[in-house]
Amino acid sequence: MNQDPMDALDEFYEECRMAPIPLGLLANPVPLPWWKRLVIPFAGLSLGSIVGLLVLCFPTHPSEELGAQAARALSQTQMRARPELAVTEHAQQGGKTAWSA
Amino acid sequence: MEISLASYIEGATVRRTSEEIDLLLRDVRPWLYRLALAITTRPDVAEDVAQEALIRASRSRQKLMAVDEPRAWLRTIVVRCALTAISKTPVESPVSQRISADPTDRLAVQQVLSRLETAERVILALVHFEGLSYAEIADALEIPVGTVASRLHNAREAFRAEWRK
């Protein structure tokens, strides 16, 4: 190493000044604050759409309860349409009807 | 919106907008990376340092909006990130990480720098790469100006001594 050390040091820093920038560093978006990252996915949506999405994501009733309610409603409709189903169901549950007693 | 880098680097005291900060953080990336490279001497570590500095700056964007000299403020962040990164990085042969294609003196400089104390590497980079005054270095490192002078003297002597080995 015959070069003067300070000259070599300056040349090294000159290399650093011209060093290529990693593509990953250039491509990455500027890091955003957390609140902005939360808001960006909803950019462009109307308020109604956002409320709709929130209702879908966080329903007021758990889905299981909704399913059970729907099943009960369907069952009652069927019973009204076909009373014999009610009798059969009642019998299946071990009950007795007035006319079977 | 075109905003020159100089307008927000040269000490404008007007509070910057969020869009201006986004532009600033985009435009300073090459400088952040090259400063980190001058301190760490390793491209992979320098990239991590630049990325970490960008994240920290972005988290503190309210401060960045109001600070008088964003470049000096960012420099301090890069130096701190570089110090942390160097302390966590094992010493390795820089052959695979060399900056230049020239395998002789440039590589030797990297090897010599990697053998110096971290504080010595930082001060050499701030003087020889950044071209800062003693007062600016004292601000960046939060040390007295007299300490800057003595540390720089010691760093140069250490570099010369390691160079001769």
Side-chain angles (χ1 to χ4, degrees):
Chain A
M1 291 189 278
N2 297 321
Q3 194 177 9
D4 178 77
M6 287 300 116
D7 287 347
L9 189 64
D10 286 334
E11 282 181 23
F12 171 77
Y13 288 133
E14 196 55 42
E15 293 276 349
C16 290
R17 283 191 195 94
M18 294 183 293
I21 310 304
L23 288 179
L25 189 63
L26 290 177
N28 285 347
V30 173
L32 296 169
W34 64 269
W35 59 269
K36 222 171 186 180
R37 270 177 271 163
L38 279 179
V39 168
I40 278 178
F42 299 103
L45 292 180
S46 66
L47 184 62
S49 310
I50 294 171
V51 170
L53 278 172
L54 288 174
V55 168
L56 278 176
C57 294
F58 306 102
T60 50
H61 297 283
S63 56
E64 284 180 15
E65 191 181 329
L66 279 176
Q69 282 179 358
R72 278 198 298 274
L74 182 64
S75 174
Q76 284 169 2
T77 308
Q78 285 175 335
M79 284 176 195
R80 275 197 293 275
R82 299 176 62 189
E84 68 273 17
L85 285 177
V87 174
T88 309
E89 186 183 32
H90 194 70
Q92 281 172 347
Q93 291 170 357
K96 292 179 180 176
T97 57
W99 56 87
S100 66
Chain B
M1 182 169 52
E2 276 299 318
I3 299 171
S4 71
L5 190 60
S7 68
Y8 42 73
I9 282 179
E10 295 305 326
T13 52
V14 180
R15 188 178 171 84
R16 293 161 200 90
T17 65
S18 189
E19 288 73 25
E20 285 173 320
I21 296 302
D22 286 344
L23 282 175
L24 168 67
L25 294 180
R26 189 196 64 194
D27 291 347
V28 296
R29 287 175 193 202
W31 168 66
L32 289 180
Y33 169 74
R34 287 168 178 151
L35 174 58
L37 184 62
I39 297 171
T40 64
T41 74
R42 284 181 48 177
D44 57 339
V45 180
E47 185 176 356
D48 289 346
V49 167
Q51 192 66 260
E52 178 64 24
L54 279 170
I55 289 170
R56 286 194 196 180
S58 184
R59 280 187 196 144
S60 309
R61 62 173 49 222
Q62 289 298 325
K63 194 169 183 181
L64 195 51
M65 284 176 180
V67 75
D68 283 344
E69 294 182 39
R71 194 179 173 101
W73 191 79
L74 287 168
R75 184 185 296 118
T76 303
I77 292 183
V78 172
V79 168
R80 284 180 187 163
C81 291
L83 290 174
T84 306
I86 290 170
S87 68
K88 289 179 181 172
T89 307
V91 177
E92 59 134 48
S93 166
V95 172
S96 61
Q97 293 288 337
R98 68 182 181 228
I99 297 164
S100 168
D102 181 351
T104 54
D105 284 346
R106 309 290 192 283
L107 184 55
V109 172
Q110 279 178 277
Q111 285 171 336
V112 170
L113 283 173
S114 69
R115 292 199 295 269
L116 297 187
E117 295 286 327
T118 309
E120 293 171 341
R121 287 157 67 171
V122 168
I123 207 152
L124 285 175
L126 293 181
V127 172
H128 289 264
F129 178 81
E130 283 283 271
L132 299 184
S133 67
Y134 285 11
E136 288 171 318
I137 295 171
D139 276 348
L141 301 181
E142 295 171 338
I143 56 176
V145 175
T147 307
V148 173
S150 61
R151 197 178 283 181
L152 177 62
H153 174 77
N154 293 340
R156 284 174 172 159
E157 286 304 309
F159 184 83
R160 286 193 185 99
E162 288 291 335
W163 182 263
R164 287 188 210 106
K165 283 183 184 173

